[in-house]
Amino acid sequence: MGDWKIGDDRRRRSTDQLRELREANDGQVAWDTEAPADFTYLFHPDHVLVGAEDVDEFEAAVARLDKDILGEPPRRDDVLLLGGDLVRYVLAERSGGESVPDVLELLERGGLRQGLASPDHWVHVSPGGGTACPAVEPEETGLTEPWPPVAPQDEGHDVRVVVVDTGWNPPSGNDPRTPWLKGVDGDDELNGPDLRPYAGHGTFIAGVVRCMAPLTTVFVEGFAIGGVGGGGILESEMVRQLEEAMARKPQVINLSAGCRTRLDLPSIAFSRFYRRHLKGEDCVLVAAAGNDSWAAPFWPAAFPWAVGVGSLDRDGRVSSFSNYGVSADVYALGRNIVNAFPDGTFECHETPNKGDVRVFGTGLARWSGTSFAAPIVAGLIAREISETGSSAADARDAVLARAVYDSDPLVGPHMELRQPYPHP
């Protein structure tokens, strides 16, 4: 896991993140480059994903492959994914040490259609290639109120929002310092006095949603409970979490996570989830655009059926870390957001702050990233549904129609800073 360019904080930070992710997942994390800091996507070293109707073509291509590469045929995993619509194969050990992308390239040279089979990519809390986490680790704040502040709402229709994230901190829902979270529920992330990486991420995001739309019903669906996974999850498992989210009949889902993919092809898992569960439903998925300052597609934000959200600074300019282009349909404030956070001691794990100890005892934290821009937009959509009784799709269109445009063609539409929350 060494990196020759040790003097570059960004590269060292990426290496720190991958080390944490790999250790948290028993070494089952691989990347597409020699130096970890240069990665563009992460994947399971032995998994291949194939759509159910493409299984015969995939297995025929494998049968044509040189038997010296795969000593035995891939084993079809018995885990049921998307009702059988998605099939996960486990490759046997490769005699020449070929990676999953190497094997797929050989299969495609032998006639397999490109994109029919895919690595099982690692989805991470607002990641991208080159960084695999929020733009910064959580920071202490002297503020006693959230920013953006709670937008008053006296009445409205009930709206269900599911935040698919790292879990929920139950004390925050009954804390007099964070009254806007009263009634929020979710999968307990099992915090202790020593906070792990990504602790509080889902709680913070739920708080942002509630500040935008106080009358919404919010549930936090946890995918990294108790620190399992290091804040990451395979895309084949993420879609199972999204299935659980859909079972709650939400009108809005917030997913502050995503991934790059091999050859930047659309994620098979997310595509299948949309086709099976989201298409035709009165539900909008809002996703973070990622924090790598680039325009390459970041899934699921880059799909046309998702609302991808980039980050703005307080002055209305695009944050230096924010992705743009196809992954960002709109931009909203994502720098120095303040919201609910568990009390406890947090030790930074990433360069240049590695080893720094931060003590949280006010019920709040300050955090930056597209992770936190996304729930502003998700909350605005939920509020539009609540106040007008419209469908989720109509609410999405109404919120996006109120965005203003910047003269920079890379930026596109963004939420005006004074709307929907007041400027101090």
Side-chain angles (χ1 to χ4, degrees):
M1 297 275 306
D3 192 336
W4 63 272
K5 197 173 181 181
I6 59 173
D8 186 319
D9 281 350
R10 180 179 175 86
R11 294 176 65 82
R12 295 178 70 176
R13 181 168 180 257
S14 295
T15 301
D16 291 341
Q17 293 165 355
L18 292 197
R19 180 181 291 113
E20 293 284 339
L21 182 61
R22 198 178 211 188
E23 289 178 357
N25 291 284
D26 300 321
Q28 299 303 298
V29 179
W31 45 88
D32 61 322
T33 56
E34 182 176 353
D38 295 326
F39 83 94
T40 52
Y41 63 92
L42 308 174
F43 58 94
H44 191 286
D46 298 315
H47 287 181
V48 173
L49 301 181
V50 182
E53 70 272 21
D54 298 322
V55 160
D56 290 344
E57 184 176 343
F58 173 72
E59 293 185 352
V62 169
R64 295 192 299 267
L65 191 65
D66 188 331
K67 299 302 185 290
D68 290 337
I69 296 172
L70 294 178
E72 55 186 82
R75 172 178 60 85
R76 189 185 298 199
D77 202 322
D78 58 5
V79 175
L80 187 67
L81 300 171
L82 298 177
D85 194 35
L86 181 67
V87 178
R88 187 168 69 193
Y89 286 90
V90 181
L91 298 186
E93 185 176 353
R94 279 75 74 194
S95 59
E98 290 84 0
S99 68
V100 169
D102 291 337
V103 172
L104 293 177
E105 183 177 354
L106 291 169
L107 290 172
E108 289 165 356
R109 288 179 185 175
L112 184 70
R113 283 183 290 135
Q114 189 178 76
L116 181 143
S118 167
D120 193 357
H121 301 96
W122 280 98
V123 176
H124 206 272
V125 172
S126 193
T131 183
C133 73
V136 296
E137 292 179 282
E139 301 170 323
E140 306 101 318
T141 178
L143 297 181
T144 58
E145 299 290 337
W147 183 264
V150 177
Q153 185 179 11
D154 296 326
E155 59 183 32
H157 299 82
D158 180 49
V159 180
R160 296 176 300 280
V161 178
V162 175
V163 173
V164 180
D165 212 275
T166 59
W168 163 243
N169 181 53
S172 296
N174 299 304
D175 194 325
R177 299 170 300 181
T178 55
W180 58 91
L181 282 173
K182 184 176 177 59
V184 173
D185 197 6
D187 296 323
D188 190 341
E189 67 178 7
L190 307 174
N191 287 312
D194 295 324
L195 302 175
R196 66 183 183 278
Y198 312 112
H201 193 266
T203 300
F204 193 102
I205 286 169
V208 175
V209 172
R210 264 296 182 86
C211 285
M212 296 294 101
L215 299 184
T216 55
T217 297
V218 180
F219 186 89
V220 183
E221 180 75 39
F223 66 75
I225 301 301
V228 175
I233 184 173
L234 291 167
E235 59 181 323
S236 60
E237 297 295 334
M238 175 59 88
V239 293
R240 299 175 77 186
Q241 295 294 322
L242 288 169
E243 282 189 305
E244 292 184 22
M246 290 298 292
R248 296 184 177 278
K249 303 296 183 184
Q251 285 119 311
V252 182
I253 294 175
N254 187 95
L255 181 61
S256 289
C259 62
R260 288 283 300 278
T261 57
R262 174 180 176 258
L263 304 178
D264 286 327
L265 294 168
S267 160
I268 289 177
F270 285 123
S271 295
R272 299 275 161 160
F273 163 73
Y274 169 74
R275 187 176 75 175
R276 181 174 179 84
H277 289 290
L278 200 57
K279 186 178 182 180
E281 294 294 322
D282 186 31
C283 180
V284 170
L285 187 144
V286 180
N291 300 320
D292 294 293
S293 310
W294 58 26
F298 187 71
W299 312 100
F303 282 110
W305 46 263
V307 180
V309 185
S311 172
L312 294 176
D313 292 345
R314 192 73 68 89
D315 62 4
R317 296 188 178 187
V318 174
S319 304
S320 60
F321 54 77
S322 180
N323 286 352
Y324 52 92
V326 69
S327 302
D329 298 299
V330 69
Y331 297 79
L333 185 66
R335 175 89 74 176
N336 292 330
I337 303 293
V338 176
N339 217 289
F341 193 77
D343 289 343
T345 300
F346 179 84
E347 181 177 347
C348 294
H349 292 257
E350 300 169 3
T351 301
N353 302 313
K354 194 169 184 177
D356 181 31
V357 175
R358 299 175 179 177
V359 179
F360 294 90
T362 66
L364 300 173
R366 185 188 304 272
W367 224 338
S368 298
T370 59
S371 273
F372 315 116
I376 287 180
V377 176
L380 290 176
I381 294 172
R383 188 185 185 101
E384 182 75 14
I385 299 170
S386 177
E387 292 182 341
T388 68
S390 67
S391 68
D394 286 346
R396 172 201 61 206
D397 293 346
V399 168
L400 294 182
R402 289 198 290 268
V404 298
Y405 281 78
D406 194 278
S407 59
D408 184 344
L410 292 178
V411 177
H414 60 280
M415 303 312 301
E416 172 67 29
L417 189 62
R418 292 179 295 278
Q419 181 186 348
Y421 40 85
H423 213 328

